[in-house]
Amino acid sequence: MKKFLGVLSTVLVIGFALSSCSPPSVDAWDKTQVEREVREMLDAYFTDIQQSGLTAEFAYLDSTEDFFWVPPGYDSALDYDSVRTILEYNASSLQEISYAWNDLQIHPLSRDIATYTGIVLGEISDTSGMKSNVHMLESGTVIRRDDGWKILCGQSRDFPGVVQLP
């Protein structure tokens, strides 16, 4: 009987050890990978705006009915069509746009959703040659769609007095 209990306890210990070493489930996801993908998308977003203007934003905005944005100076959320109309209206009056992230923080919530917050520093030149500096605090939620990461919702507000860090 002692021998049987000894063998049984050995089998249980080995079984427990093997079960704790099982590979991750199919549902496991890598937060670091999600953060990297979102950062790459947000950087590409600014690069495309610099190269192609405001209308380049359309490729990065989620066009579903779930989308909303609160732009600087607004006190309520705008839907996708309203944001699109504003961008199209302003696009022709801008000659150069250059944005960069300062202190961008990304927080993966799942393999398909993440939040972000950061300070946007930029310079905008209109068609008359007038230049303006941009300092905005921005936060939002991004979602993975079949064609890549999209901005689902968020807000930005003017953030005066920001000092650009090296």
Side-chain angles (χ1 to χ4, degrees):
M1 183 67 163
K2 281 185 179 183
K3 191 173 187 177
F4 174 74
L5 289 176
V7 170
L8 179 61
S9 63
T10 302
V11 168
L12 289 174
V13 168
I14 291 172
F16 178 74
L18 290 175
S19 68
S20 66
C21 294
S22 63
S25 71
V26 174
D27 293 329
W29 56 282
D30 184 351
K31 287 184 178 186
T32 304
Q33 179 180 342
V34 170
E35 182 180 349
R36 184 178 58 251
E37 290 173 2
V38 171
R39 185 174 303 277
E40 288 171 0
M41 182 275 289
L42 291 170
D43 287 341
Y45 173 57
F46 282 173
T47 298
D48 286 351
I49 291 171
Q50 183 172 356
Q51 293 173 352
S52 303
L54 282 180
T55 57
E57 289 194 39
F58 301 143
Y60 297 89
L61 303 180
D62 185 68
S63 60
T64 68
E65 64 183 33
D66 295 327
F67 174 87
F68 71 85
W69 195 262
V70 182
Y74 285 73
D75 58 4
S76 62
L78 302 178
D79 63 13
Y80 178 83
D81 290 335
S82 297
V83 170
R84 184 176 184 95
T85 299
I86 290 169
L87 292 173
E88 287 173 339
Y89 178 79
N90 289 316
S92 63
S93 65
L94 300 177
Q95 184 174 332
E96 288 185 45
I97 304 168
S98 176
Y99 292 140
W101 289 105
N102 187 1
D103 195 27
L104 177 61
Q105 297 177 28
I106 298 165
H107 304 280
L109 303 177
S110 72
R111 71 168 31 130
D112 297 321
I113 299 174
T115 61
Y116 70 93
T117 185
I119 298 170
V120 178
L121 302 174
E123 186 174 276
I124 298 174
S125 299
D126 66 17
T127 53
S128 71
M130 179 110 158
K131 292 185 179 193
S132 302
N133 289 320
V134 175
H135 300 120
M136 292 184 292
L137 178 60
E138 184 168 305
S139 62
T141 301
V142 294
I143 189 166
R144 185 192 314 265
R145 297 294 191 198
D146 290 340
D147 59 343
W149 286 96
K150 303 291 182 182
I151 296 172
L152 179 64
C153 61
Q155 61 190 345
S156 39
R157 70 172 178 90
D158 291 328
F159 196 64
V162 174
V163 176
Q164 188 167 0
L165 301 175

